[in-house]
Amino acid sequence: MTVTATSVEGPDQLDSGPVPDSRAVRWARRVGAAAVAALSGVLLYVSFPPRTLWWLALPAFAAFGWVLRGRSWKAGLGLGYLFGLGFLLPLLVWTGVEVGSVPWLALVAAEAVFLALVGAGITLVSRLPAFPLWAAALWTAGEALRARVPFGGFPWGKVAFGQADGVFLPLAAVGGTPVLGFGVVLCGFGLYEGVRLAVEGRRTRTVRRSAAVAALLSLVVPVVAALAARTLVSDKAENGYATVAVIQGNVPREGLEFNAQRRAVLDYHARETERLAAEVKAGKTAKPDFVLWPENSSDVDPFANPDAYAVIDAAAKAIGVPISVGGVVERDGKLYNEQILWDPEKGPEDTYDKRQVQPFGEYLPMRSLLAHINKNWTTMVRQDFSRGHKPGVFDMAGAKVGLVTCYEAAFDWTVRSTVTDGAQLISVPSNNATFDRSEMTYQQLAMSRVRAVETSRTVTVPVTSGVSAIIMPDGRITQKTGMFVAAHLVQKVPLRSSETPATRLGTLPELLLVLVAAGGLGWVAVGAFRKKRATGTAPAETA
C-alpha cells in the first residue's frame, strides 16, 4: 500500500465535504463532542454489574478515543471530565443512599478529575504511531494514581471490575487488575483505530500499513492473550478440600434504636448458625469444617460485653467448629474493625484488624478542618477506626483462610498480601446493609470474582444482608443468597497454594504500563521541543 499523510483526525474531521466555518457550527461541534464523551462514560457504566454487558466497554472506549483524537489537551481535560461524570455518577450513586446526595456528588466530582487528566494525556499521544498502546497505558496510569491518592485512594470503578463475565477475565491471573483493565481498554481504542483507518482508506484509497498493523494487533493481542491465559485458571485442589459454611444473618430494617439494632444483628447471625447446626445434627446438611460470619456481625464488642461473648460462644459450641466473627472492638482506647477467630472450646484465639479503612466511612480525614467549616459534618464518623498492620490468615481446621474485609477487596495489595502470607482460600466478609438494594453489593461481588481468578483461590463472600456467595477459583459463582434474607451456604471447596504470575509479579506489570504511559508523553514532549527549536532557529539560518 502507498504511504500517505492523509488521516482522519477526530469527530470534527469526519465530514464528507467542506463545512462553513461559522461560530454556530463550531459551537454545535463542541456540544456534540461533549455529548459523545458523556454518553461513552454512561456506556462504560452500563457494562458493569449487575448487568453482564461487559463487551460494551469496547465501544465505550472506541467512542472516547474518537472524541479525543486530534484535540488540544485543554479540550481533553474537559472531555475526560465529562466522560468521568457519565461513568461515575451512576456507578457510585449508592454512596448517597444513607448520607444524601452531597457526599456522592463530591466524591464523583473529585474522582472525575483523574479521568480529566487521562483525557488530556490521550489527546497529547493521539497522533503518535500505535496510538491505542499509549492511550491504554495512560488509562492504566490514571487508575494506578486513583487507587492511591488521596486518603489511600479509591479504586472503585476500575475497568477490570466490570469484566467478571467477560472473555478478558483470565488476564487477571497474568498481571492482576492493571493487565486485565489494560487489555480491555487497548482493545477498545484499537476498535476505534481500526474504524478510523477503514474510513480513511475508503476516502483516500490508501492506508498506512504500519498503522493498520498496529490497530489490528491492538484488537487481536488482548483477546488471544486472554484465551491463552485460561491455562492459568484451575479449580483443581492442591491441598485437599474444606467444607465451608457462609452465614448471612440479615439485619432488622426499622423500629429499633442504635444499640438494639447492633444486638439484633448479632442475635440473627447466632440464630442462623444454630439453625445450620440443627440441620447438620438432623443429617440434612454436611458438617462444615469452619464457619464464616460477615463484617459487623457483632458490632457489640464481645471482649467488653459478656452477653455478646456468651451469644457467640454458644453459637460456636452449637456448630462445633471454628467461626470467623466480624466485630467492632475497642482496645487501648482505639477502635478496630476486626475479624475474630472463635474456637468452640477455647473461645477467641486470633484476630485480624482491617488495614485499608474507608475514609469518610470508618475515619474522617481533616476532622478539625471539617469541624471548623461545619460541626455537623463530623457526626457522620464520631470515632475513627484505627488500621491494622498485619495480613490476616486464620488457621481454621487446618485450612489457611485469608481475610480481606469488605472495602479492602478493591485494593490489589491487600488481596495479594494474604496469598503471599499463605492463604489457601480467601474470605471477603462484608456489610452492605447500609446501601439497601443498590448495585453496590453486585459491584463488590464482581470484584471478588476477579480476585478469585487473579489469585487462583476460592473466594467466599459472607455478607450481613446479601448477596453472600461462594466463588470458585475460575470466577464462577456456585452458590449465592438473596438480599435481606437469613440464609447459609455450605460447600466443599478446593484449597490451593500455588501462586499465579499476577501474585508473583506484584506491582511490576502496573509499573511497566505506567512507564509506557510516561514514554508516550515523553515522546510528545521531545517532539514538541524539537519542533519549537527548529521553528526558533529557522530565521537565523535564512538570514
Side-chain angles (χ1 to χ4, degrees):
M1 294 184 179
T2 304
V3 177
T4 73
T6 306
S7 65
V8 179
E9 304 298 349
D12 289 357
Q13 288 77 28
L14 289 181
D15 306 292
S16 58
V19 177
D21 188 18
S22 68
R23 185 173 301 175
V25 170
R26 290 196 299 273
W27 181 84
R29 285 175 171 171
R30 288 179 186 136
V31 171
V36 171
L39 290 173
S40 58
V42 173
L43 194 62
L44 180 59
Y45 155 71
V46 176
S47 74
F48 271 65
R51 295 157 295 276
T52 58
L53 304 174
W54 57 270
W55 51 272
L56 285 179
L58 303 186
F61 281 103
F64 192 41
W66 174 65
V67 81
L68 289 177
R69 191 177 190 277
R71 293 189 180 274
S72 69
W73 67 268
K74 292 180 181 179
L77 273 175
L79 294 170
Y81 196 79
L82 289 171
F83 179 90
L85 293 180
F87 173 46
L88 296 173
L89 273 171
L91 186 80
L92 302 179
V93 68
W94 53 266
T95 60
V97 168
E98 181 73 11
V99 294
S101 60
V102 173
W104 161 51
L105 295 174
L107 174 64
V108 170
E111 292 297 312
V113 171
F114 293 94
L115 279 68
L117 295 174
V118 170
I122 290 175
T123 60
L124 294 174
V125 302
S126 65
R127 295 178 187 273
L128 293 181
F131 154 70
L133 172 67
W134 311 111
L138 277 165
W139 180 272
T140 304
E143 286 193 337
L145 182 63
R146 193 161 69 87
R148 289 167 172 82
V149 295
F151 313 125
F154 186 74
W156 213 282
K158 273 189 169 186
V159 169
F161 296 145
Q163 296 296 311
D165 292 293
V167 70
F168 298 100
L169 180 59
L171 290 176
V174 177
T177 59
V179 169
L180 172 53
F182 173 78
V184 174
V185 179
L186 177 64
C187 204
F189 284 132
L191 176 62
Y192 157 68
E193 189 74 348
V195 172
R196 184 185 73 83
L197 291 172
V199 172
E200 176 183 323
R202 186 173 182 180
R203 180 180 300 170
T204 65
R205 303 296 181 184
T206 54
V207 175
R208 289 165 295 171
R209 181 173 297 155
S210 60
V213 170
L216 182 62
L217 289 175
S218 299
L219 278 167
V220 172
V221 168
V223 176
V224 172
L227 294 175
R230 293 180 67 180
T231 58
L232 300 173
V233 179
S234 174
D235 289 344
K236 183 180 179 181
E238 297 173 331
N239 306 101
Y241 292 85
T243 300
V244 57
V246 170
I247 299 296
Q248 177 176 301
N250 202 10
V251 298
R253 302 304 299 274
E254 295 177 355
L256 297 177
E257 53 88 22
F258 181 68
N259 287 327
Q261 285 268 359
R262 295 192 303 169
R263 177 54 194 266
V265 172
L266 170 58
D267 290 342
Y268 286 4
H269 283 83
R271 184 185 308 161
E272 188 62 25
T273 303
E274 290 164 355
R275 189 166 74 90
L276 169 62
E279 290 183 6
V280 171
K281 187 175 181 179
K284 297 179 181 179
T285 304
K287 184 175 182 177
D289 296 311
F290 51 87
V291 175
L292 302 171
W293 283 15
E295 176 190 36
N296 300 127
S297 47
S298 179
D299 276 356
V300 182
D301 185 349
F303 300 112
N305 295 273
D307 57 336
Y309 187 108
V311 168
I312 298 170
D313 203 52
K317 283 180 167 57
I319 192 64
V321 299
I323 303 177
S324 178
V325 178
V328 173
V329 174
E330 188 168 356
R331 187 169 56 251
D332 300 326
K334 297 181 178 179
L335 204 61
Y336 294 93
N337 187 334
E338 190 166 86
Q339 287 291 311
I340 307 165
L341 174 57
W342 206 288
D343 185 83
E345 301 298 330
K346 302 175 183 177
E349 285 194 306
D350 198 0
T351 60
Y352 165 65
D353 297 323
K354 188 176 182 180
R355 294 172 290 165
Q356 186 74 45
V357 294
Q358 183 181 355
F360 303 100
E362 292 172 306
Y363 79 99
L364 199 61
M366 306 178 296
R367 181 180 289 273
S368 58
L369 176 61
L370 292 174
H372 181 72
I373 298 171
N374 188 332
K375 290 184 179 181
N376 291 331
W377 290 355
T378 61
T379 60
M380 59 181 162
V381 182
R382 296 182 182 275
Q383 182 179 352
D384 292 342
F385 279 83
S386 296
R387 293 177 173 84
H389 300 288
K390 295 181 180 179
V393 180
F394 287 169
D395 187 340
M396 303 184 75
K400 302 293 186 181
V401 181
L403 284 306
V404 180
T405 305
C406 196
Y407 183 62
E408 292 184 317
F411 293 83
D412 297 343
W413 70 272
T414 56
V415 181
R416 183 169 57 246
S417 67
T418 64
V419 176
T420 57
D421 205 48
Q424 300 166 320
L425 174 150
I426 295 173
S427 181
V428 184
S430 303
N431 177 20
N432 299 340
T434 302
F435 306 109
D436 202 52
R437 296 182 181 273
S438 70
E439 294 183 357
M440 183 271 186
T441 190
Y442 299 103
Q443 293 171 11
Q444 191 176 53
L445 186 60
M447 290 181 193
S448 296
R449 294 178 63 191
V450 173
R451 298 306 185 190
V453 174
E454 178 185 45
T455 61
S456 193
R457 296 291 188 273
T458 299
V459 175
T460 61
V461 187
V463 184
T464 50
S465 57
V467 173
S468 300
I470 297 176
I471 304 167
M472 290 292 100
D474 63 358
R476 288 180 300 116
I477 297 176
T478 52
Q479 291 191 61
K480 65 179 180 179
T481 69
M483 295 185 72
F484 293 101
V485 295
H488 57 262
L489 307 174
V490 179
Q491 185 172 325
K492 185 178 181 181
V493 299
L495 302 176
R496 293 177 57 82
S497 57
S498 63
E499 293 185 356
T500 62
T503 300
R504 292 194 297 270
L505 293 172
T507 59
L508 182 59
E510 184 178 53
L511 176 60
L512 292 176
L513 290 171
V514 170
L515 291 176
V516 170
L521 293 176
W523 187 351
V524 171
V526 169
F529 175 77
R530 287 178 175 175
K531 183 177 180 180
K532 183 177 181 180
R533 186 176 181 182
T535 303
T537 57
E541 292 172 356
T542 57

